[in-house]
Amino acid sequence: MFSTYKEALEWIHARLRLGIKPGLKRMEWMMSRLGNPETKINTVHIGGTNGKGSTVTFLRSIHEAAGYTVGTFTSPYIEQFNERISVNGKPITDEELLKLANVIRPLADELEETELGGPTEFEVITAMAFDYFANNSKVDIVIFEVGLGGRFDSTNILHPLASIITNIGLDHTNILGNTYEEIAFEKAGIIKENTPVFTAVKHPGSLNVITEQAAKKTAPIYRLNQEFSISAHESLENGESFTLQTETQTMNELKIRMMGQHQTENAALAVMAAQFLTQKGLFNVSSPAIRDGLKKAYWPGRFEILSQDPLVIIDGAHNDEGVTALVQELSTRYPDRQIQIVFAALKDKKLDKMIAKLDAIAHQISFVSFDFPRAANAEDLLQISQSGNKLAVDNWKTYLLEEIYNLGAKDMVVITGSLYFISEVKPHLCKYLKNKTIYL
């Protein structure tokens, strides 16, 4: 048994050595031993390639605004590990995490001795989340974010009130498949019998796969640009405005403070799900609560402005679709700025297209590595880039402070790539940017 939070966290992180082991049998085994806590909570399940965390946040904020207590399970974390299991946006305490680890540890040890093998880090954390929400907190609804894929993801033992699939991109192709359709099939694995699914997938082949899987499960499906649509989109100084048209109503001038047109789609999915749950009498979410919730929703690391002067932005664009959205937003909002990109990535990602798109808008692009088992080497990233102004950096912490300190009035720094990298960058920079000034 663990006596300190640090011991528990080290044990959890040590399980990264087991890598990724798709499949539900270990989760089912642990849940059975815990009395199947996943059956004791009201849930919404959110999958997709990009936008899962933002959609979780929009839906959480909407229900909070309506007076409900909302649990969330998300990954990875940005500011602290505990935030992966949160209630109304507040991470569980160190003491609560310690208690959960001591519940799951004996099960993990016992499972290790079976033919199934020990649970991975993500399976351990997922099991902790189910136990916490069912037995240790009074929540009205819990929103679970898929970790990887969908069909064989640890969270997919759920039988939710609704499922959401944000979009489809070519990510984790070594596990999920090399085509949009193959990946869509894995994502569609979260669709359950007679359970509605809401999706913003636009790729025709992917959408066909999701529609077919919904039909097989007799699951009502609500698709962007079919059963609901977005119009009158306008980028604001501090967010976005849009109109949502459904089959039964129009909601004009909905406002969000998360930036990017793609965020309007994530917000629309959350609104659709909230309205459905209300129509079914499961919750009571009014139009004012929807507007208030959308306006308040905040999710770190997604086109987040850490400082206006000097201008510093972090964005966890960790795949081609994410980089495309980032580049579009930078080009629209800051056409006159000289953009300095700092990029780090995981080595198992498809990097060539991502780097090419960043090359195209960067006045200077710098590549860094960071302390993570799957992190790409900075020199390897440098070799992929075709930029005429590029460099590889050894110590990103010192380098970032120097670059920000030397920014001119027309310059900006954009730090992007792996969310694991962003989770290290944000607390490091925030210490120095507290007064909007870098002190060296």
Side-chain angles (χ1 to χ4, degrees):
M1 303 293 280
F2 307 111
S3 57
T4 68
Y5 170 80
K6 184 182 178 197
E7 290 174 354
L9 202 58
E10 287 176 347
W11 173 73
I12 293 169
H13 288 327
R15 306 198 72 79
L16 281 168
R17 63 182 167 77
L18 298 176
I20 298 168
K21 300 197 293 185
L24 302 178
K25 292 191 179 299
R26 287 175 299 279
M27 284 301 302
E28 291 168 346
W29 187 95
M30 287 191 288
M31 292 302 99
S32 176
R33 298 298 296 270
L34 289 170
N36 293 108
E38 78 281 5
T39 65
K40 301 173 184 177
I41 46 180
N42 294 317
T43 60
V44 172
H45 203 190
I46 299 183
T49 301
N50 295 90
K52 297 187 295 291
S54 298
T55 307
V56 167
T57 303
F58 284 125
L59 189 57
R60 184 203 88 207
S61 189
I62 287 169
H63 280 85
E64 276 186 61
Y68 294 103
T69 301
V70 188
T72 53
F73 177 70
T74 56
S75 60
Y77 66 95
I78 296 296
E79 295 171 359
Q80 65 171 126
F81 180 83
N82 298 24
E83 73 192 42
R84 298 181 71 166
I85 304 172
S86 296
V87 176
N88 284 359
K90 183 179 180 182
I92 61 172
T93 65
D94 292 356
E95 292 74 21
E96 287 172 320
L97 188 138
L98 173 61
K99 179 182 175 182
L100 292 169
N102 279 326
V103 170
I104 302 302
R105 171 68 186 270
L107 298 180
D109 290 344
E110 188 177 348
L111 190 54
E112 193 98 48
E113 301 303 315
T114 72
E115 62 181 11
L116 296 174
T120 66
E121 184 205 38
F122 189 74
E123 288 170 333
V124 162
I125 301 166
T126 308
M128 290 167 60
F130 283 128
D131 182 62
Y132 178 77
F133 290 125
N135 301 316
N136 298 285
S137 70
K138 295 181 180 179
V139 291
D140 299 302
I141 186 171
V142 186
I143 309 166
F144 275 84
E145 177 186 343
V146 170
L148 174 64
R151 188 163 61 108
F152 293 125
D153 185 73
S154 306
T155 61
N156 204 31
I157 57 173
L158 284 173
H159 290 278
L161 303 174
S163 304
I164 297 175
I165 300 174
T166 57
N167 65 12
I168 301 295
L170 295 177
D171 202 9
H172 299 293
T173 53
N174 58 321
I175 297 172
L176 302 180
N178 292 308
T179 68
Y180 284 95
E181 289 78 9
E182 288 173 327
I183 294 173
F185 179 75
E186 296 301 324
K187 305 286 186 185
I190 69 170
I191 300 173
K192 302 298 192 302
E193 292 284 345
N194 303 309
T195 302
V197 57
F198 303 86
T199 184
V201 170
K202 294 191 282 290
H203 180 267
S206 301
L207 186 56
N208 286 341
V209 170
I210 291 168
T211 302
E212 288 169 5
Q213 293 304 308
K216 288 180 180 178
K217 301 284 180 65
T218 60
I221 186 167
Y222 300 84
R223 296 158 290 192
L224 178 65
N225 298 326
Q226 294 190 49
E227 286 75 22
F228 66 101
S229 61
I230 293 168
S231 62
H233 167 244
E234 181 184 356
S235 290
L236 309 175
E237 183 179 354
N238 295 304
E240 312 291 334
S241 173
F242 68 99
T243 292
L244 176 62
Q245 177 75 54
T246 73
E247 293 175 321
T248 58
Q249 71 173 122
T250 299
M251 298 190 75
N252 294 304
E253 295 185 39
L254 296 171
K255 290 182 171 59
I256 58 176
R257 61 171 171 157
M258 285 195 257
M259 296 185 185
Q261 183 174 355
H262 58 290
Q263 294 292 9
T264 67
E265 297 173 2
N266 298 328
L269 288 170
V271 173
M272 290 296 296
Q275 287 184 329
F276 176 87
L277 296 176
T278 292
Q279 290 163 5
K280 292 298 180 182
L282 300 169
F283 294 90
N284 184 14
V285 177
S286 66
S287 292
I290 288 173
R291 291 182 179 278
D292 188 39
L294 289 181
K295 200 176 296 184
K296 290 179 178 176
Y298 158 75
W299 190 234
R302 277 66 174 181
F303 208 88
E304 182 177 4
I305 300 174
L306 294 188
S307 168
Q308 288 281 6
D309 183 18
L311 184 52
V312 180
I313 294 174
I314 57 173
D315 187 88
H318 57 281
N319 53 38
D320 187 40
E321 287 72 22
V323 169
T324 299
L326 171 62
V327 168
Q328 178 180 334
E329 202 60 25
L330 289 171
S331 301
T332 300
R333 289 184 178 272
Y334 304 106
D336 300 325
R337 293 270 188 164
Q338 293 198 24
I339 303 172
Q340 299 187 33
I341 300 283
V342 179
F343 180 74
L346 301 184
K347 58 189 174 186
D348 53 7
K349 297 285 184 176
K350 287 184 176 293
L351 298 167
D352 50 350
K353 289 183 180 179
M354 295 165 61
I355 291 175
K357 289 174 182 177
L358 293 173
D359 281 345
I361 63 160
H363 174 70
Q364 173 185 291
I365 186 164
S366 307
F367 299 99
V368 302
S369 190
F370 63 107
D371 186 17
F372 190 76
R374 290 155 51 210
N377 181 276
E379 287 289 345
D380 292 339
L381 297 174
L382 184 76
Q383 295 306 313
I384 298 172
S385 172
Q386 300 298 311
S387 172
N389 190 8
K390 61 182 179 179
L391 65 154
V393 177
D394 291 328
N395 187 332
W396 65 263
K397 291 184 177 181
T398 302
Y399 173 75
L400 277 181
L401 297 181
E402 291 174 346
E403 286 299 294
I404 294 170
Y405 180 78
N406 291 313
L407 280 182
K410 287 286 188 180
D411 299 336
M412 65 185 294
V413 169
V414 178
I415 304 139
T416 188
S418 168
L419 281 166
Y420 294 101
F421 175 56
I422 297 300
S423 71
E424 292 188 25
V425 167
K426 182 173 180 179
H428 174 68
L429 286 186
C430 282
K431 290 186 297 184
Y432 297 93
L433 290 168
K434 188 177 296 184
N435 299 314
K436 298 187 177 181
T437 305
I438 293 289
Y439 295 101
L440 294 179

